[in-house]
Amino acid sequence: MVSAMVSRSAVLGAVALSLLAVPAQAAPLKARAHPRTADALPAPDTAGLAATLRSVVAKGAPGAMARIDEGAKVYRTTQGVADRMSRRAITTADRFRVGSVTKTFSAVVLLQLVDEHRLALDAPVNRYLPGLLPDDRITVRHVLSHRSGLYDYTNDMFASSVSGFEAVRNKVFTYRQLLDLSLRKPRTNAPGAAYSYSNTNFVVAGMLIEKLTGHSVKAEYENRIVKPLGLTGTFYVHPDTRIPGQHANGYLTADRAGAQPVDATEQTVSWAQSAGAIISTTRDLNTFYSALAGGKLTSAARLADMERFTRVNSNTSYGLGLRRRDLSCGISVYGHTGAVQGYYTYAFTTKDGKRSLTAVANASNSSAVLNTLAETLEPAFCGKQRSARRVHTPLEREDVAPAAPREQ
């Protein structure tokens, strides 16, 4: 039986698909290929999306979920469980740790400060935080685009994923302590010379936010983004270790093959803070990127700054706290990926913000899960019209060290 509303769910290995009436929007485009609005896109391939999530679970994630928002339509798909102990089925209402999707939130706050003439993108960071960095040539733009050359301290912190995580799970760092971990190491390149992803950059971003506003990043996220957009499932609780309300537990894949995954749900995420500590939902992230793309969070000029991209690999470019992904069907989508112990997130949207996807797996430290979750973008935005030929896609890399996830 087919109707305007479809809902099927079960626990492990079951799919829940539903079509409901909820408005949405999303983020910007500046593509190699011809930009296309959501109206010109093929319908989402919900069966293909569900199949991808089944594969994510088959590759080792306890659960996976995805939500597409497009105008009055909402598509939800889930597989597996939110909790390995209770076996409760995962749902798209479950909260989760978004990891580096936090970087877009931090970038938006700083770009709003640029709009308020309290910050200049091409000014040295040291103008606002005197003596903080060892090179006066490092600008705010360099930091937000990962072109500062500042070493990523997580390379050492998580050289061993599980033991590294357990060492910091309940630890509370200051921003200065995290920056000092980076400054002990040589820089990766001269300011502006090359793209090199580093969580250190968004630690500096957090320091800038707090210095320029006199408020915590928590307060700025809430007052500038969360409350205006009505993001009722989005929180910054650092240094509390708990996720408020109903949530999916997160599982860190063991470094040793065959060992049980580690429940990483409760943690301070103090090692990341403004680089990766936000908690949210699929609905809220779609709303956020829709609003960003629709010009509701920054001026058009600042949005254009976010979209000045540096090529990272054959299908990915990076702007200011914003990724662009070029898909096989010739369109580009914008958003960010997230990796934090226990969770992988893909949150992307079209140029006009009218179709957005957030896909999540409650697992991390697994290249098989990460690369499979990345495949959700194709059915969500290209539908069944995506390229049938085998397109070379670079292996995904975690934005939490170690850069190459463990094969499990």
Side-chain angles (χ1 to χ4, degrees):
M1 179 177 177
V2 178
S3 67
M5 182 177 293
V6 180
S7 180
R8 292 179 293 165
S9 63
V11 184
L12 186 59
V15 182
L17 291 172
S18 60
L19 179 59
L20 303 173
V22 178
Q25 293 175 321
L29 264 170
K30 190 177 181 183
R32 297 185 305 175
H34 225 44
R36 286 157 63 184
T37 65
D39 293 340
L41 296 181
D45 178 8
T46 55
L49 185 60
T52 301
L53 294 193
R54 282 196 298 271
S55 185
V56 168
V57 172
K59 296 291 176 64
M65 55 180 158
R67 173 173 168 143
I68 299 172
D69 282 88
E70 183 176 7
K73 301 174 183 177
V74 177
Y75 304 87
R76 296 180 177 91
T77 307
T78 65
Q79 282 284 333
V81 299
D83 184 335
R84 294 178 72 242
M85 297 298 291
S86 71
R87 310 303 294 174
R88 178 179 68 82
I90 200 168
T91 79
T92 55
D94 287 337
R95 295 165 183 169
F96 54 91
R97 298 189 185 279
V98 308
S100 286
V101 174
T102 303
K103 291 179 171 67
T104 310
F105 282 73
S106 296
V108 165
V109 173
L110 287 176
L111 289 166
Q112 289 181 355
L113 292 172
V114 174
D115 277 331
E116 295 163 12
H117 307 291
R118 299 163 70 181
L119 178 70
L121 283 174
D122 294 310
V125 170
N126 284 350
R127 174 185 297 179
Y128 307 102
L129 296 164
L132 181 73
L133 301 182
D135 193 328
D136 286 338
R137 296 175 298 167
I138 298 174
T139 67
V140 177
R141 191 187 300 274
H142 292 151
V143 165
L144 294 181
S145 60
H146 293 295
R147 294 184 299 121
S148 67
L150 294 170
Y151 178 80
D152 190 344
Y153 58 86
T154 69
N155 290 334
D156 304 310
M157 188 177 284
F158 302 123
S160 174
S161 292
V162 174
S163 62
F165 167 65
E166 294 293 6
V168 300
R169 178 199 280 263
N170 296 305
K171 193 165 183 178
V172 178
F173 293 93
T174 65
Y175 281 131
R176 183 74 230 197
Q177 287 172 327
L178 295 174
L179 180 62
D180 285 346
L181 292 175
S182 170
L183 296 181
R184 292 173 189 168
K185 295 297 183 75
R187 280 170 279 157
T188 55
N189 51 261
Y195 169 89
S196 181
Y197 192 93
S198 174
N199 286 287
T200 307
N201 289 310
F202 280 79
V203 166
V204 174
M207 297 175 83
L208 283 166
I209 290 169
E210 296 196 346
K211 176 63 180 293
L212 291 168
T213 66
H215 303 139
S216 67
V217 293
K218 171 185 171 71
E220 293 302 309
Y221 294 151
E222 289 178 351
N223 293 331
R224 293 174 177 271
I225 300 172
V226 174
K227 291 177 181 177
L229 295 182
L231 306 183
T232 57
T234 301
F235 304 90
Y236 184 87
V237 301
H238 172 269
D240 195 343
T241 62
R242 295 165 295 178
I243 299 177
Q246 180 179 307
H247 59 272
N249 283 19
Y251 297 92
L252 176 64
T253 304
D255 294 320
R256 180 172 55 83
Q260 290 296 304
V262 175
D263 187 330
T265 310
E266 293 197 357
Q267 54 173 301
T268 63
V269 201
S270 193
W271 64 265
Q273 299 186 53
S274 51
I278 282 177
I279 293 161
S280 194
T281 65
T282 55
R283 174 194 173 276
D284 280 7
L285 292 188
N286 284 351
T287 300
F288 168 64
Y289 279 111
S290 173
L292 177 59
K296 295 180 179 178
L297 291 174
T298 70
S299 67
R302 300 294 76 78
L303 191 55
D305 281 322
M306 292 189 83
E307 294 179 310
R308 291 176 60 179
F309 292 102
T310 299
R311 174 66 58 184
V312 174
N313 57 40
S314 62
N315 71 348
T316 305
S317 301
Y318 204 93
L320 302 184
L322 189 69
R323 292 189 189 275
R324 186 186 79 199
R325 297 294 290 255
D326 303 323
L327 305 181
S328 71
C329 57
I331 72 153
S332 297
V333 291
Y334 297 79
H336 214 288
T337 54
V340 64
Q341 292 89 356
Y343 305 89
Y344 286 141
T345 302
Y346 277 76
F348 285 84
T349 186
T350 52
K351 178 177 176 58
D352 58 7
K354 292 183 179 178
R355 184 184 297 178
S356 302
L357 163 78
T358 296
V360 181
N362 59 343
S364 68
N365 197 37
S366 168
S367 59
V369 170
L370 178 63
N371 282 279
T372 305
L373 189 68
E375 295 174 8
T376 57
L377 296 175
E378 293 281 336
F381 295 104
C382 295
K384 294 180 180 179
Q385 299 178 26
R386 58 190 182 275
S387 176
R389 64 186 175 84
R390 186 64 182 169
V391 178
H392 172 70
T393 302
L395 290 176
E396 300 293 314
R397 291 289 180 262
E398 289 195 30
D399 43 35
V400 178
R406 306 294 193 259
E407 295 284 356
Q408 295 289 341

